[in-house]
């Protein structure tokens, strides 16, 4: 079993839809959770990072963490064609040099 | 803030030659940098962790004599792919850690012919 599970998609939604992206994990040592957006042939761009269980909102993006269920989500409201990208969840334990463990990424396509 | 650059962005080399990729943190000091490789439609795989002034820590299965990492300063880490072969063709990405966040460079696409 992988430490982090993420549906690779692709996920296709119409413009304006609410998108829900999810990851589950098995390692309870993970304490920090991130979502990255990666456009084709580019490096990942940090979108959100959270520590506590609960919700964190930033513009059209909401990150949700449920540590008891080992489940994290990223919601995108009013999705735009420019949101079309691969979304990677990542997580790590404590310690500044603790390495990130990534999900496989979900490819999102927002259509006009 | 928190900008990481990589150079070159794209390189083609012949089999058997060596290629050096640079990773720089432009506006912060990074005591730790990470090197990843990514195959098409796959996630990032950590290759090694690079600490300024000390030897890099390689992940299991990564040949340290083939992928030489040097972290000479708080803003620069280099990855040298020695005696490159076509199977080394990949997208190489570095990241630099700041507190509990890592910022990624734009990546270097290596093609070995």
């Amino acid at each position: 079993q992988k430490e982090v599970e993420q549906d690779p998609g692709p996920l296709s939604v119409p413009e304006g839809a609410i998108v829900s992206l999810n990851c589950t994990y098995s390692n309870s040592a993970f304490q920090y959770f991130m979502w990255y957006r990666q456009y084709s042939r580019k490096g990942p761009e940090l979108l959100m990072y959270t520590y506590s269980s609960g919700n964190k909102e930033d513009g059209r993006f909401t990150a949700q963490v449920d540590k008891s269920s080992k489940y994290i989500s990223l919601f995108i409201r009013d999705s735009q064609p420019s949101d079309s990208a691969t979304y990677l969840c990542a997580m790590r334990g404590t310690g500044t040099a603790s390495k990130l463990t990534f999900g496989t990424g979900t490819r999102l396509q927002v259509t006009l | 803030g928190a900008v990481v650059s990589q150079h070159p962005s794209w390189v083609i080399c012949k089999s058997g030659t060596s290629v050096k990729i640079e990773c720089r943190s432009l506006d912060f000091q990074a005591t730790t940098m990470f090197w990843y490789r990514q195959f098409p439609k796959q996630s990032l795989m950590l290759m090694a962790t690079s600490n300024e002034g000390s030897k890099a820590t390689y992940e299991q299965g990564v040949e340290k004599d083939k992928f030489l990492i040097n972290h000479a300063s708080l803003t620069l880490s280099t990855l040298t792919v020695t005696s490159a072969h076509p199977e080394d063709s990949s997208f190489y990405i570095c990241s630099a850690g700041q507190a509990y966040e890592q910022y990624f460079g734009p990546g270097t696409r290596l093609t070995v012919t």
Side-chain angles (χ1 to χ4, degrees):
Chain A
Q1 183 189 7
K2 291 181 182 178
E3 282 189 295
V4 180
E5 298 278 359
Q6 184 177 9
D7 188 334
L11 177 63
S12 183
V13 301
E15 183 179 10
I18 296 174
V19 176
S20 172
L21 304 166
N22 312 294
C23 287
T24 59
Y25 63 98
S26 57
N27 190 344
S28 57
F30 291 140
Q31 296 295 317
Y32 295 88
F33 305 91
M34 296 89 177
W35 285 95
Y36 288 86
R37 177 175 63 195
Q38 185 178 25
Y39 292 111
S40 181
R41 299 187 178 188
K42 299 291 184 183
E45 170 193 9
L46 180 65
L47 283 177
M48 304 280 285
Y49 99 97
T50 57
Y51 172 73
S52 304
S53 282
N55 294 351
K56 181 177 181 180
E57 190 173 317
D58 184 1
R60 295 186 296 112
F61 299 94
T62 299
Q64 189 174 80
V65 174
D66 182 346
K67 289 187 179 180
S68 63
S69 300
K70 296 188 176 66
Y71 187 89
I72 68 170
S73 300
L74 177 71
F75 298 96
I76 307 174
R77 291 182 297 280
D78 188 25
S79 56
Q80 303 295 310
S82 58
D83 294 328
S84 299
T86 296
Y87 290 81
L88 298 153
C89 66
M91 46 200 78
R92 57 179 289 175
T94 56
T96 55
S98 179
K99 61 182 182 181
L100 287 177
T101 300
F102 284 87
T104 52
T106 299
R107 193 154 58 91
L108 172 66
Q109 182 72 39
V110 180
T111 58
L112 291 170
Chain B
V3 178
V4 177
S5 70
Q6 277 185 247
H7 178 81
S9 57
W10 180 46
V11 58
I12 300 175
C13 72
K14 292 189 175 181
S15 186
T17 61
S18 295
V19 174
K20 180 185 285 189
I21 302 170
E22 292 186 350
C23 176
R24 293 181 185 273
S25 56
L26 298 185
D27 51 3
F28 66 99
Q29 294 184 327
T31 54
T32 303
M33 289 183 172
F34 303 84
W35 286 96
Y36 296 82
R37 65 187 299 181
Q38 186 178 33
F39 292 106
K41 298 186 179 180
Q42 295 187 27
S43 192
L44 288 77
M45 297 298 296
L46 180 65
M47 298 175 66
T49 302
S50 164
N51 292 297
E52 186 265 338
S54 63
K55 290 184 178 180
T57 302
Y58 290 81
E59 294 298 301
Q60 191 173 10
V62 177
E63 298 175 61
K64 62 181 181 181
D65 294 330
K66 181 170 185 61
F67 298 100
L68 300 178
I69 292 172
N70 183 273
H71 194 155
S73 76
L74 288 170
T75 59
L76 173 65
S77 177
T78 60
L79 167 68
T80 301
V81 182
T82 62
S83 186
H85 291 284
E87 58 266 28
D88 299 323
S89 298
S90 188
F91 194 51
Y92 292 86
I93 308 175
C94 71
S95 75
Q98 184 178 40
Y100 294 106
E101 300 174 38
Q102 286 184 32
Y103 293 89
F104 285 81
T108 296
R109 180 159 302 281
L110 170 63
T111 301
V112 185
T113 61

